[in-house]
Amino acid sequence: MKLNIPYHLENYIGGNLIGPLSGNFIDNFNPATGEIVGQIPESNEKDINIAVEAAKKAFPAWSVSPVEQRFRILNRIAELIEENLEELAIAETNDNGKPLWLAKEVDIPRASSNFRFFATGIMHFATESHNMEDKAINYTLRQPIGIVGCISPWNLPLYLFTWKIAPALAAGNCVIAKPSEVTPVTAFLLSKICKEAGLPDGVLNIVHGTGAVTGEAIVKHPDVKAISFTGSTKAGERIATLAAPKFKKLSLELGGKNPNIIFADVANHEGSWKKMLYNTIRSSFANQGEICLCGSRILIEESIYEKFKTDFIDWINKGLKVGDPLEEETKQGAIVSKVHFDKIIRCIDTAKQEGGKILCGGKAVKLEGRCANGYFIEPTVIEGLGPQCKTNQEEIFGPVVTLQTFKTEEEAIELANATQYGLAASIWTNGIGKANRVAAKVESGIIWINCWLLRDLRTPFGGVKNSGVGREGGWEALKFFTESKNVCIEL
Ligand code: NAD
């Protein structure tokens, strides 16, 4: 199949690709060049209403369709994503600014894995029964909720969009989905793939537009019974305010300010040290630091602080090329938008005002040629700031990390827990007891010991505190997208 990208993207409603009813569009930029490359529908309540009507029409048949049929269609979508990897990866890079190799190695393969994982998962999804000896037997039904809303951010566009849609569809729901208005193109291309894969009309509806108008229209619609949202804590709070009084089911995957804790014993082994450094570079700057799981607060045991600092900065200076996302040797591409670029630069200024010392980076990068007007920022490392300052409290979501030191295990835990967030944490040590003690005490939904971003799609994924409510992944996602009903039979 051919995945052409038209200048004006369209909504996918009831199986058709159609423009917004208002006729209004929003500009879409390529952040690496600063150019307007297309326009996306500025959909409103009226577009959401027709999407919900289409979903309502599709639900009776889809919700009782045999799981094997759902498996076949979702698995076909996974195959078509793989077959179109090249085109999807280029679209993702041009929309988001991430290096093309990253989109090819991570984003698009993961989007395909999401569909394959839940296509097969639904074939094995079972429910419990509770036997009351000679009195009665209870069994649990897990039935699709109905029409659900899936709203996703711009940092891992197709990867996170499909992470929600795949389990929602597998569980038998009909979906109204909205990608970020900043990175809409791969979601639009997914519409074409779904049509080709034979997904029945109206089962998935993809509607484009802003959070304030399109997103809120999804959340507010009385027939949308559950919302799965990934994005900022601020937008999550707003969505909870709208959805909670209507008793809608909510899954909120929000921001992070994740600690990366490095104990001194790692320096005793050359191999452990190199592995830690390599992964700390990744967890600091991968995808321009625009991953909710990035470790933006690096906590280092005092006795190895100077060694860490020297080796870390050396690696950045020698090995982290900021450049055109389409070039193979580029390690760090463009920041996703001008608005976000300005925010990160403001955060670096704040860090300086708070007394932070910039050890490397701290400025915009001016490239030549095609990317002369793009939004690029140097990988930035800051030291000398305490745990309570703004820089160490608020999510920056860019290529900016801070260094802090600790003397004891207790102090490391205290620093790690010193923010309102609790999404992910990394712990580097060769002490098995220490690693497990710290893992148990860090307030976070996800802990990596001696690794980072090693993902098994079966595991629960999500945060505590202001990082969210609920868990995605594996059975957790299929449980979220179903309502359980107990049936009791007296014997
Ligand atoms: P955002 O909150 O601005 O937007 C996310 C999505 O929500 C977009 O589609 C947007 O249009 C929509 N939206 C915004 N306001 C809305 C509203 N009032 N009602 C309904 N929809 C609304 O986030 P972003 O800037 O796109 O993404 C970056 C944020 O996402 C960061 O805070 C990052 O930590 C977070 N994030 C979290 C996870 C996670 O799994 N916890 C993963 C990736 C990103």
Side-chain angles (χ1 to χ4, degrees):
M1 69 180 292
K2 195 97 196 90
L3 289 180
N4 291 325
I5 305 171
Y7 188 77
H8 287 91
L9 300 189
E10 290 166 310
N11 291 328
Y12 172 56
I13 295 176
N16 300 309
L17 288 170
I18 51 175
L21 295 177
S22 68
N24 296 335
F25 285 83
I26 316 167
D27 291 337
N28 187 30
F29 290 82
N30 178 336
T33 63
E35 289 165 345
I36 296 172
V37 289
Q39 297 210 306
I40 71 159
E42 191 174 15
S43 311
N44 61 28
E45 203 184 309
K46 294 193 176 118
D47 302 285
I48 298 302
N49 288 344
I50 57 166
V52 171
E53 286 314 309
K56 275 162 88 172
K57 222 167 125 192
F59 183 70
W62 181 251
S63 58
V64 296
S65 59
V67 286
E68 194 163 335
Q69 184 191 334
R70 280 181 249 159
F71 158 77
R72 281 182 199 285
I73 294 171
L74 299 183
N75 198 43
R76 182 70 192 129
I77 296 174
E79 285 170 356
L80 286 170
I81 292 174
E82 267 167 8
E83 284 170 24
N84 292 282
L85 183 138
E86 200 73 25
E87 258 175 294
L88 288 165
I90 289 175
E92 203 72 298
T93 287
N94 287 339
D95 228 9
N96 171 277
K98 66 180 68 213
L100 181 59
W101 60 262
L102 187 66
K104 279 189 196 168
E105 280 175 26
V106 177
D107 291 75
I108 308 306
R110 173 60 190 273
S112 171
S113 299
N114 289 339
F115 272 105
R116 181 160 295 117
F117 178 81
F118 286 108
T120 51
I122 200 64
M123 301 267 281
H124 302 267
F125 192 42
T127 61
E128 307 83 25
S129 87
H130 298 88
N131 189 18
M132 299 170 74
E133 289 76 40
D134 58 352
K135 262 206 204 91
I137 186 158
N138 297 271
Y139 66 88
T140 307
L141 284 177
R142 289 197 204 283
Q143 296 171 311
I145 298 170
I147 299 164
V148 301
C150 295
I151 301 176
S152 62
W154 48 252
N155 63 325
L156 301 164
L158 194 63
Y159 173 137
L160 289 174
F161 194 58
T162 53
W163 182 230
K164 301 182 173 307
I165 291 171
L169 295 177
N173 299 284
C174 290
V175 176
I176 314 295
K178 190 192 92 60
S180 169
E181 62 274 32
V182 184
T183 52
V185 176
T186 47
F188 167 79
L189 296 176
L190 183 69
S191 321
K192 294 190 171 191
I193 286 176
C194 290
K195 272 176 87 71
E196 173 82 13
L199 188 71
D201 296 348
V203 167
L204 170 64
N205 303 276
I206 300 175
V207 187
H208 297 272
T210 64
V213 178
T214 322
E216 291 208 7
I218 297 174
V219 176
K220 285 180 187 161
H221 198 292
D223 293 330
V224 174
K225 299 296 182 198
I227 302 290
S228 173
F229 169 80
T230 298
S232 61
T233 297
K234 195 157 168 271
E237 187 181 339
R238 170 76 183 145
I239 288 169
T241 312
L242 295 171
K246 305 284 179 208
F247 308 109
K248 296 187 183 203
K249 247 183 144 176
L250 262 184
S251 165
L252 301 173
E253 298 292 343
L254 310 175
K257 189 75 186 171
N258 309 309
N260 178 13
I261 310 167
I262 302 164
F263 285 99
D265 64 79
V266 179
N268 298 339
H269 305 89
E270 182 68 15
S272 309
W273 187 253
K274 283 227 171 89
K275 184 181 173 199
M276 177 280 294
L277 271 181
Y278 169 73
N279 281 288
T280 296
I281 291 283
R282 285 177 63 228
S283 66
S284 302
F285 304 115
N287 205 47
Q288 299 71 247
E290 296 164 339
I291 304 181
C292 54
L293 306 164
C294 276
S296 53
R297 293 181 301 135
I298 307 179
L299 313 179
I300 308 127
E301 193 162 346
E302 203 176 66
S303 58
I304 56 157
Y305 185 64
E306 290 305 321
K307 175 176 166 60
F308 173 81
K309 205 162 85 172
T310 309
D311 289 1
F312 186 53
I313 306 282
D314 194 45
W315 193 314
I316 295 169
N317 289 337
K318 285 193 188 132
L320 262 192
K321 182 172 184 277
V322 180
D324 184 337
L326 297 179
E327 285 171 10
E328 198 57 38
E329 64 277 14
T330 291
K331 291 283 186 296
Q332 212 186 271
I335 300 300
V336 73
S337 67
K338 175 78 168 72
V339 173
H340 196 54
F341 169 91
D342 289 341
K343 181 204 150 173
I344 297 170
I345 295 289
R346 270 199 311 276
C347 289
I348 296 172
D349 286 343
T350 302
K352 287 184 201 156
Q353 283 157 22
E354 289 180 318
K357 181 175 167 200
I358 311 285
L359 295 175
C360 72
K363 297 187 299 297
V365 178
K366 268 275 155 225
L367 296 178
E368 286 176 1
R370 188 184 92 92
C371 296
N373 296 318
Y375 318 128
F376 297 86
I377 295 180
E378 294 171 334
T380 300
V381 181
I382 304 167
E383 71 170 356
L385 290 173
Q388 293 310 325
C389 70
K390 230 172 156 185
T391 306
N392 276 325
Q393 286 294 323
E394 293 179 6
E395 187 184 42
I396 298 173
F397 215 55
V400 181
V401 295
T402 62
L403 309 184
Q404 297 176 71
T405 60
F406 63 86
K407 286 199 184 73
T408 62
E409 194 176 310
E410 291 68 35
E411 201 189 338
I413 295 165
E414 201 179 307
L415 279 176
N417 292 341
T419 73
Q420 288 310 305
Y421 292 105
L423 186 56
S426 283
I427 302 165
W428 294 93
T429 176
N430 289 317
I432 192 166
K434 188 191 285 181
N436 287 294
R437 281 194 303 274
V438 176
K441 287 189 183 153
V442 170
E443 295 159 358
S444 171
I446 301 156
I447 306 270
W448 280 292
I449 297 176
N450 297 334
C451 58
W452 179 71
L453 207 58
L454 188 52
R455 292 278 295 118
D456 178 330
L457 302 189
R458 294 169 299 181
T459 60
F461 179 92
V464 299
K465 304 200 297 196
N466 290 3
S467 290
V469 179
R471 293 292 179 272
E472 296 186 303
W475 301 139
E476 303 267 352
L478 292 176
K479 284 183 181 167
F480 174 77
F481 283 116
T482 49
E483 285 287 8
S484 47
K485 178 189 283 177
N486 189 64
V487 181
C488 176
I489 313 153
E490 191 167 38
L491 298 177

